[in-house]
Amino acid sequence: MTMLMLTLVRSFAVLIPWLIHLATWLVARSLNMPQPLVHATSVFVFAQVYAAEMRVGRALCPLRLQRLLQSLFR
């Protein structure tokens, strides 16, 4: 059972970067943009969304829950 789980985890670890590359390539192809530009833009958008979520979390959550959420995102 453990070997099966280890095999599945390893296959997902190999598959996830490949799927991200494929998705980036497909989006770049559909927008007629270079792939590195699409990748850099997606990283920038992720950082902006993360910052906004953390600001909202600080405003709405008590201090203990805020620390828990920050530890989960790190």
Side-chain angles (χ1 to χ4, degrees), residues 8 12 19-20 25 65 69:
L8 288 174
F12 283 131
L19 288 174
I20 291 172
W25 181 81
L65 184 58
L69 290 174

Side-chain angles (χ1 to χ4, degrees), residues 17-49:
W18 185 82
L19 288 174
I20 291 172
H21 177 76
L22 178 65
T24 306
W25 181 81
L26 287 171
V27 170
R29 178 97 178 186
S30 68
L31 295 175
N32 198 19
M33 294 172 61
Q35 186 177 357
L37 182 63
V38 171
H39 180 73
T41 304
S42 64
V43 169
F44 176 74
V45 169
F46 174 79
Q48 293 295 321
V49 169

Side-chain angles (χ1 to χ4, degrees), residues 48-59:
Q48 293 295 321
V49 169
Y50 175 78
E53 286 179 353
M54 292 310 283
R55 280 193 304 267
V56 169
R58 282 190 197 112

Side-chain angles (χ1 to χ4, degrees), residues 6-20:
L6 185 60
T7 304
L8 288 174
V9 168
R10 285 183 181 170
S11 62
F12 283 131
V14 170
L15 190 63
I16 288 172
W18 185 82
L19 288 174
I20 291 172

